[in-house]
Amino acid sequence: MRIIDKTPLTNEDGSISFINRIKGTLQYGFSWYPDLQAQQKAIDIIDKQLGKKFTLIRNHVLENSKIIVPITLIGPPGIQVIFVTHVQGSYRAKNDAWGTVSGGNFKDASINLLKRAHQLGKVVEIYLKKKSFEFPKGVEPILLSVNPALHISSVRPIVRIVLSDAVERFASSLAQEPPVMSVEAVHEITEEIINPRPPKAKVPESQSPEENMGEIDFAFDESAPAKPAPQIRRKVPVSAQKPSSDYLGMTPKQLVVIGVMGLIVICLLVLFILGILFFA
């Protein structure tokens, strides 16, 4: 299987330094590094089952949008967008609802992984259709886990769920599915995602390519209404623009996190020195 890794903040050998781990956590959230570790485990399993006709693209940004797609798997049987999660515990997936059950009561999770996986598949499909690609099966969204400590009770979920004991079987089944597109089409779609071509149709002067890709960003917004009302875009005068709230290239939230981590390091150093003085 061909693997194209676009993960940010990685070294040439694919490793992530301690400093870059902190940067990634501040930029992408606390689940960023655990999710990367889970991704790598899933990729290692899938890679053993799929041949050279398949291509896996990891953590790529859709052109000028702000959306990072965790895993896009492209092969003759079709296209799968895979969201790999590191979470553990007991969850319930019913239609588009995702949460835990305690004492017979269902509680929504803070992040709906079903909707997240579904939206990732949707935006990739919209993106490829904008690039004039047609595929009979569409893009299949998948929520995948390699953590045996995750248990999911599912009732007609909106995405396909693959748990740790079924990852190998899932990959093996893909290798045996009948093809719906040629190997040449796989390479063409891969190239369009990695090195997108300029749009064939001329983009109106009032709408830049970034604004056009913003439609995909909107489709991924969980809080956005289904049918947004048309808006008139206006340029904000420079004098009226809101001043940046960043300090030294970081937001106040990031500075607070760094400050807390700094205090923890200082406390550990003080305890270490005290231990040397009193127990030496």
Side-chain angles (χ1 to χ4, degrees):
M1 181 176 69
R2 181 188 178 196
I3 300 175
I4 302 174
D5 196 338
K6 294 291 184 178
T7 304
L9 303 174
T10 56
N11 300 321
E12 293 183 359
D13 60 354
S15 63
I16 301 177
S17 66
F18 178 74
I19 297 300
N20 283 343
R21 193 182 305 181
I22 294 175
K23 290 181 179 178
T25 301
L26 292 174
Q27 186 172 355
Y28 303 110
F30 288 101
S31 65
W32 176 72
Y33 188 68
D35 280 345
L36 289 184
Q37 292 178 305
Q39 282 181 13
Q40 189 58 57
K41 291 180 181 179
I43 292 172
D44 291 341
I45 297 172
I46 295 172
D47 188 27
K48 294 178 181 178
Q49 301 296 324
L50 300 182
K52 297 180 180 179
K53 294 181 180 180
F54 288 82
T55 298
L56 184 148
I57 309 174
R58 184 185 186 191
N59 295 320
H60 65 283
V61 178
L62 281 180
E63 202 166 338
N64 294 317
S65 74
K66 298 178 182 180
I67 301 171
I68 299 178
V69 183
I71 292 178
T72 303
L73 183 61
I74 310 168
I79 303 173
Q80 289 79 32
V81 168
I82 305 173
F83 183 88
V84 184
T85 179
H86 74 280
V87 300
Q88 62 183 27
S90 297
Y91 287 82
R92 183 181 180 186
K94 183 177 181 181
N95 297 329
D96 64 348
W98 171 262
T100 58
V101 178
S102 178
N105 297 320
F106 177 82
K107 182 180 179 181
D108 289 321
S110 58
I111 299 177
N112 190 318
L113 299 184
L114 295 179
K115 289 184 177 180
R116 181 62 56 86
H118 182 264
Q119 288 167 332
L120 285 167
K122 180 173 67 175
V123 296
V124 171
E125 185 168 324
I126 292 173
Y127 172 80
L128 292 176
K129 285 183 177 180
K130 284 179 175 290
K131 298 294 183 177
S132 301
F133 285 103
E134 296 182 0
F135 27 88
K137 295 174 60 176
V139 174
E140 181 183 21
I142 295 173
L143 176 62
L144 184 147
S145 171
V146 291
N147 190 343
L150 174 64
H151 305 279
I152 301 176
S153 172
S154 60
V155 181
R156 297 184 299 276
I158 58 174
V159 302
R160 182 175 180 180
I161 297 176
V162 179
L163 296 179
S164 60
D165 59 350
V167 176
E168 185 175 347
R169 185 165 65 251
F170 157 71
S172 178
S173 66
L174 285 180
Q176 299 173 13
E177 285 188 13
V180 296
M181 58 184 178
S182 65
V183 177
E184 290 75 15
V186 172
H187 291 308
E188 188 177 353
I189 292 173
T190 301
E191 186 64 23
E192 187 61 57
I193 292 175
I194 301 303
N195 300 303
R197 298 167 296 179
K200 295 180 181 179
K202 184 178 179 182
V203 178
E205 293 182 1
S206 60
Q207 185 180 38
S208 66
E210 289 77 9
E211 291 172 331
N212 188 36
M213 289 302 296
E215 297 174 7
I216 294 182
D217 282 319
F218 185 89
F220 189 71
D221 186 1
E222 294 183 2
S223 62
K227 294 182 179 180
Q231 297 180 355
I232 300 176
R233 300 181 181 271
R234 297 178 179 176
K235 293 185 178 179
V236 180
V238 176
S239 59
Q241 289 181 350
K242 184 180 179 180
S244 174
S245 60
D246 292 355
Y247 301 92
L248 301 177
M250 292 179 288
T251 63
K253 183 178 179 180
Q254 292 174 333
L255 289 172
V256 169
V257 174
I258 291 178
V260 172
M261 295 179 68
L263 288 175
I264 293 174
V265 172
I266 292 173
C267 291
L268 291 174
L269 288 175
V270 171
L271 291 175
F272 179 73
I273 294 172
L274 291 175
I276 294 176
L277 294 175
F278 288 99
F279 298 101

Short mmCIF file of all heavy atoms in Angstrom, two decimals, residues 212 221 232 235 258:
data_model
loop_
_atom_site.label_atom_id
_atom_site.label_comp_id
_atom_site.label_asym_id
_atom_site.label_seq_id
_atom_site.Cartn_x
_atom_site.Cartn_y
_atom_site.Cartn_z
N ASN A 212 -14.28 30.02 -2.13
CA ASN A 212 -14.95 28.87 -2.71
C ASN A 212 -14.77 27.64 -1.83
O ASN A 212 -15.70 26.87 -1.59
CB ASN A 212 -14.41 28.60 -4.11
CG ASN A 212 -15.19 27.53 -4.85
OD1 ASN A 212 -16.40 27.44 -4.70
ND2 ASN A 212 -14.50 26.71 -5.61
N ASP A 221 -19.03 22.50 9.54
CA ASP A 221 -19.37 23.17 10.79
C ASP A 221 -20.58 22.52 11.43
O ASP A 221 -21.68 22.55 10.88
CB ASP A 221 -19.64 24.66 10.52
CG ASP A 221 -19.85 25.44 11.80
OD1 ASP A 221 -19.76 24.85 12.88
OD2 ASP A 221 -20.11 26.65 11.70
N ILE A 232 -23.75 38.86 1.71
CA ILE A 232 -22.94 39.75 0.88
C ILE A 232 -21.61 39.93 1.55
O ILE A 232 -21.52 40.32 2.72
CB ILE A 232 -23.63 41.12 0.71
CG1 ILE A 232 -24.99 40.94 0.03
CG2 ILE A 232 -22.75 42.07 -0.10
CD1 ILE A 232 -25.78 42.22 -0.08
N LYS A 235 -15.48 43.94 2.15
CA LYS A 235 -14.14 44.12 2.69
C LYS A 235 -14.18 45.07 3.88
O LYS A 235 -14.80 46.12 3.82
CB LYS A 235 -13.19 44.67 1.61
CG LYS A 235 -12.94 43.68 0.48
CD LYS A 235 -11.92 44.24 -0.49
CE LYS A 235 -11.62 43.23 -1.59
NZ LYS A 235 -10.63 43.78 -2.56
N ILE A 258 0.82 27.10 28.48
CA ILE A 258 2.28 27.09 28.63
C ILE A 258 2.67 27.52 30.04
O ILE A 258 3.58 26.97 30.66
CB ILE A 258 2.94 28.00 27.58
CG1 ILE A 258 2.77 27.39 26.17
CG2 ILE A 258 4.41 28.21 27.89
CD1 ILE A 258 3.33 28.25 25.08
#
